[in-house]
Amino acid sequence: MSTEIERCCPPAAEGPDLRPIEGGEADEQLAALGKAIGHPVRVQILRILARKSSCICGDIVEELPLAQSTVSQHLKVLKDAALIRGDVDGPRVCYCLEARTLRRLKALVGGL
Amino acid sequence: MSTEIERCCPPAAEGPDLRPIEGGEADEQLAALGKAIGHPVRVQILRILARKSSCICGDIVEELPLAQSTVSQHLKVLKDAALIRGDVDGPRVCYCLEARTLRRLKALVGGL
DNA sequence: CGTACTCATCGTAATAATGCGATAGCATGC
DNA sequence: GCATGCTATCGCATTATTACGATGAGTACG
């Protein structure tokens, strides 16, 4: 069997986003995404993931002056908002940006 | 003396934004703006202000199913984030979008 | 002056977010 | 199996947010 079980951070090529950019649903989505990026540490995490073109695991903890549990909690917030994805890679977890949601956020903010 | 003391929502023509789009400062700004739009009601308020091309005062309260004091509190959050501006017009207050900050938000989100 | 109107602020209660240490889960290597 | 390393989750304390009613500040009108 192949040892290349999965790679995180796929090339990211998807179709256009057909979801509406305003209305009640959109408002909720924008608010949820806004809340997710509404903390400096979480913005920093997004930047770290963007910088490392390849995805990264818990090195994020090393880059931040916070306890591991706290970073894990922020990662959970970002994951729940679908701004990042975490693929298990052996004993560690490989996080990466979820490009689709990021595009969605840009579209929603752009519609303001 | 003229009775036209001031109009809120000026034509909005300003130069380009020279502030950096990333770095510690930018992260803080993005997080602060994200937190400000991180509530459905506040997103709705922004939409209301965008819809009424002219600025509006406390009619916002009428459009929302919330107490006046609660709306006022949300308006304060948006004002503290500089996403809106409130000009006093006689006994009432005229709120309008702060286009400059909105552009700043779009630029910051776009840089993600 | 006094009333009416609009809006901000205060006080309060309930809920959510933040951060940490401790602990549990899980895959890997000996 | 057992120890090790990485991550998630739990429990807890502190602080922030949200929502409301009540009250206060301010202007306009009679």
Side-chain angles (χ1 to χ4, degrees):
Chain A
M1 62 203 68
S2 128
T3 53
E4 300 287 342
I5 302 169
E6 85 275 293
R7 279 171 307 169
C8 139
C9 304
E14 295 178 33
D17 198 333
L18 299 175
R19 288 174 290 180
I21 222 172
E22 54 180 72
E25 191 93 8
D27 288 2
E28 295 281 345
Q29 283 176 18
L30 178 50
L33 291 173
K35 185 187 269 191
I37 64 170
H39 194 291
V41 167
R42 289 198 284 269
V43 174
Q44 249 182 297
I45 291 175
L46 293 180
R47 301 255 196 232
I48 291 171
L49 292 177
R51 176 153 38 88
K52 318 257 180 180
S53 67
S54 169
C55 50
I56 212 177
C57 54
D59 300 340
I60 301 167
V61 176
E62 305 239 327
E63 296 214 32
L64 298 173
L66 291 170
Q68 177 265 328
S69 61
T70 303
V71 173
S72 189
Q73 206 167 283
H74 283 300
L75 287 169
K76 177 173 168 49
V77 173
L78 290 171
K79 201 166 64 176
D80 287 347
L83 279 165
I84 66 174
R85 194 157 46 91
D87 290 331
V88 176
D89 174 28
R92 67 199 87 216
V93 178
C94 174
Y95 283 102
C96 57
L97 296 179
E98 193 79 87
R100 181 172 169 75
T101 308
L102 222 46
R103 278 201 305 273
R104 175 72 178 152
L105 172 59
K106 291 175 189 179
L108 286 168
V109 170
L112 281 179
Chain B
M1 61 201 69
S2 128
T3 51
E4 301 285 344
I5 301 168
E6 84 273 293
R7 281 170 308 168
C8 140
C9 305
E14 295 178 32
D17 198 331
L18 300 175
R19 288 174 288 179
I21 223 173
E22 55 179 71
E25 191 93 9
D27 288 0
E28 295 281 345
Q29 283 176 19
L30 178 51
L33 291 173
K35 184 185 269 191
I37 64 170
H39 194 290
V41 168
R42 289 197 285 269
V43 173
Q44 250 182 293
I45 291 176
L46 293 179
R47 300 254 196 233
I48 292 171
L49 292 178
R51 176 154 36 91
K52 319 256 179 182
S53 68
S54 169
C55 49
I56 211 178
C57 52
D59 300 339
I60 301 168
V61 176
E62 306 239 327
E63 296 215 33
L64 298 173
L66 290 169
Q68 177 265 326
S69 61
T70 304
V71 174
S72 189
Q73 208 167 283
H74 283 299
L75 287 169
K76 178 174 166 48
V77 172
L78 290 171
K79 202 167 65 177
D80 287 348
L83 279 166
I84 66 175
R85 194 155 46 92
D87 290 331
V88 177
D89 175 26
R92 66 198 87 216
V93 177
C94 174
Y95 282 102
C96 57
L97 296 179
E98 192 78 87
R100 181 173 169 74
T101 308
L102 221 46
R103 278 201 305 274
R104 176 69 176 154
L105 171 59
K106 291 175 189 180
L108 286 169
V109 170
L112 278 179

